[in-house]
Amino acid sequence: MSSPLPLKNATLHDVAREAGVSLITASRALSNPALVSDKTIARVQNAVAATGYIPNLLAGGLKSRRSLTVAGLVPTISVPQFLPTVRALTETLDAAGYQLILGQSGYDHSREEKLLNTMLSRRPDGIVVTGLVHSPAAREQLRRQGIPVVETWDLSDRPVDMMVGISHVKVGGAIAGFFLGRGWQRMGVATGDDHRAMMRYEGFVATLGRDVPTAFVPAPTSLERGRRALGELLEKDPHIEAIYCSSDGFAHGVMIEARARGLRIPQDLVVCGFGDADFSAHIDPSLTTAHVNGAEIGRLAAQMIIDRCQGRPIAQSHVDVGFRIIERQSTAVAA
Amino acid sequence: MSSPLPLKNATLHDVAREAGVSLITASRALSNPALVSDKTIARVQNAVAATGYIPNLLAGGLKSRRSLTVAGLVPTISVPQFLPTVRALTETLDAAGYQLILGQSGYDHSREEKLLNTMLSRRPDGIVVTGLVHSPAAREQLRRQGIPVVETWDLSDRPVDMMVGISHVKVGGAIAGFFLGRGWQRMGVATGDDHRAMMRYEGFVATLGRDVPTAFVPAPTSLERGRRALGELLEKDPHIEAIYCSSDGFAHGVMIEARARGLRIPQDLVVCGFGDADFSAHIDPSLTTAHVNGAEIGRLAAQMIIDRCQGRPIAQSHVDVGFRIIERQSTAVAA
DNA sequence: CTGTTAGCGCTTTCAG
DNA sequence: CTGAAAGCGCTAACAG
């Protein structure tokens, strides 16, 4: 090392000069070493260390048209349901050299369009959205970019491009069917008002074939809102037997409020949530819920983007990861 | 609009031609309208609409040396404690036109350094890290970039640059003092092994002036691990009276396990957590905890970065946001 | 295996 | 208020 590292950020030009090679050879030594002799590679690497060089991906991306970034849009990062997905996305992308740029669209469709534009101006190599892209303008916008797009956590007949998720209508139907199979008739629903929760609600009601007392709350749901929602449902039907809640935190609130009102779970009231949160198996009573493999959704979405970027064929561009109802103590009534 | 939007992404060049002005005038009309006549601005804006132009921030950033991105490093996005901070960061930055690029360093210091380099290669205009930057090489690396750096959720005498957080030693001391003030002597601690939790543990023990039975678990803590931790603590002292837990989810697990073992809270055992999670006020019994304004940390950190980037003076570059112990039912014993 | 040339799309000078 | 020239740092394309 000739001197203490210089203050100004070194460029590839500096590295090349230090190594005594041309600019492009230095470039290749770092990003495509197969084309360069071992001796040269070593000299370039020494020069990198000596200069404290950090590559400028912005400059490289401008020419190569690969930013090595992927844009991720979630309604809000505060809702724990999507955390495993975001985490798996980040990790899978990172392993392939891509960085996730996270955007929060809120539960407001007009913001979706604006945020999308902001994201596109960074020229991501792919886009992953949580839920479907709803605005037609945004859908058209996305198609025109010609970059891979994955819609997640939902399924639809008209995807923008690729898709990995579940059928929320089926989830709602399965939970209603589960309640019916156990002979519970006086049901209730506590649900958020976002698109996916409403799909589950519709599936629930469709399978049941009739309306049920329902507490609607604005998304995102929370434990606190669950406590209030139970109050609302008990007003509508004081003898309610079984409640489906659109999230596990929400269901947890219903259970706590039930206990506070002297209702025993599951003897007096059974509860089923959605999402299988990390706490759901461990609270007391443990919570029956519909499990969805959120990490798998993130991993698959990332892999689809990566494969497409690298020109590999996509095994399946429309994946239903499915769900399963996990029966726990909150619905475990003696026969 | 002359024709259906072209397939290829329009460049500023196309916009300028469509508007009948020079490239640079089109540029100014969009990014510095004060310098351009109203009539020209209108023509450029029409051309933008007609061509479907989306600016390329990568290209602009290359010349202007402002990427309008900020790198954010968290141990893991899965731990709810930092969610309000990440959320406030994203929102405050977004409002000023900056995007957050999120990186997960894990609880592993060696990854910190590598991730930092990856991030720096995107030339962010600022960096926010959760916790302190520990590796000396990384600290030096960061300083040399000459970009604003904020370390959060902690305080130290030797910040890399700016800092907004709390003293974890003081938190631990305050909780021990709170226990002592109520006359509880048989204490226990259940704590994660990450740096901040260990600082609280040290503060707790220092204030107490003696060692206590302690269950150490690898970070991140969880409800499930809390249930096991109580078992461990009861083995060490079957007559334990008061337990401090390093997170609220962890404390919740301790409480559930206590109930499962027939221990009443707070009559037989009192519990104090850390973080004031969204559920803590609403579980039953509600959880006494140390509250930290995580959103405020995110907001302040973002504002520091923005102010520095825009050449404004920073009011305070070393902020202690403080904490307060919120007493709830889990420590509410009758006198 | 190595080098030269020509830009990527935009913004910063410096002139009108 | 508008424009022409120059170049940010890097890589694709073509030579040697």
Side-chain angles (χ1 to χ4, degrees), chain B residues 146-319:
Chain B
I147 59 177
V149 176
V150 187
E151 293 167 281
T152 64
W153 273 96
D154 211 333
L155 293 175
S156 129
D157 296 336
R158 302 168 46 253
V160 171
D161 182 7
M162 298 179 286
M163 184 157 266
V164 42
I166 59 166
S167 162
H168 291 269
V169 173
K170 276 191 198 163
V171 173
I175 293 170
F178 167 66
F179 281 0
L180 284 172
R182 296 303 188 84
W184 300 309
Q185 290 293 336
R186 305 190 78 132
M187 302 182 199
V189 173
T191 183
D193 66 352
D194 57 284
H195 177 259
R196 286 172 296 286
M198 290 307 288
M199 290 294 102
R200 296 196 291 279
Y201 169 71
E202 286 183 16
F204 188 96
V205 170
T207 294
L208 210 57
R210 58 178 166 83
D211 235 343
V212 288
T214 301
F216 294 100
V217 315
T221 54
S222 65
L223 191 153
E224 184 181 4
R225 284 177 169 157
R227 295 193 69 157
R228 286 207 300 263
L230 178 61
E232 201 179 314
L233 287 175
L234 286 174
E235 269 180 34
K236 294 184 179 177
D237 179 0
H239 303 293
I240 205 160
E241 293 172 320
I243 298 179
Y244 151 64
C245 306
S246 66
S247 80
D248 280 10
F250 204 32
H252 192 186
V254 164
M255 294 206 295
I256 285 168
E257 181 66 21
R259 168 136 49 185
R261 289 169 181 251
L263 290 170
R264 294 165 306 159
I265 290 174
Q267 296 89 336
D268 303 323
L269 178 70
V270 306
V271 175
C272 176
F274 171 79
D276 195 20
D278 57 359
F279 59 79
S280 302
H282 307 288
I283 57 178
D284 185 22
S286 56
L287 176 62
T288 292
T289 188
H291 173 91
V292 177
N293 193 336
E296 180 73 2
I297 290 178
R299 201 157 34 238
L300 286 172
Q303 203 56 55
M304 284 174 174
I305 299 274
I306 295 165
D307 284 346
R308 187 75 82 68
C309 286
Q310 304 185 342
R312 278 194 295 270
I314 308 293
Q316 265 190 292
S317 64
H318 200 275
V319 179

Side-chain angles (χ1 to χ4, degrees), chain B residues 5 31 53 80 83 97 109 123 125 137 142 153 189 206 213 217 252 262 265-266 281 283 294 321 334:
Chain B
L5 299 178
S31 52
Y53 172 68
L83 247 39
H109 286 189
R123 297 296 188 268
D125 293 338
L142 273 176
W153 273 96
V189 173
V217 315
H252 192 186
I265 290 174
I283 57 178
V321 298

Side-chain angles (χ1 to χ4, degrees), chain A residues 2 7 32 65 68-69 75 86 97 99 121 134-135 164 174 207-208 210 255 275-276 280 291-292 301 309 322:
Chain A
S2 38
L7 283 156
N32 207 345
R65 305 175 154 291
L68 297 178
T69 59
V86 173
Q99 240 65 51
S121 70
H134 294 282
S135 128
V164 43
T207 294
L208 209 57
R210 58 178 166 84
M255 295 207 294
D276 195 21
S280 302
H291 173 92
V292 177
C309 286

Side-chain angles (χ1 to χ4, degrees), chain A residues 62-79:
Chain A
L62 188 56
K63 183 69 188 177
S64 66
R65 305 175 154 291
R66 286 178 295 109
S67 64
L68 297 178
T69 59
V70 171
L73 270 55
V74 294
T76 157
I77 191 178
S78 302
V79 33

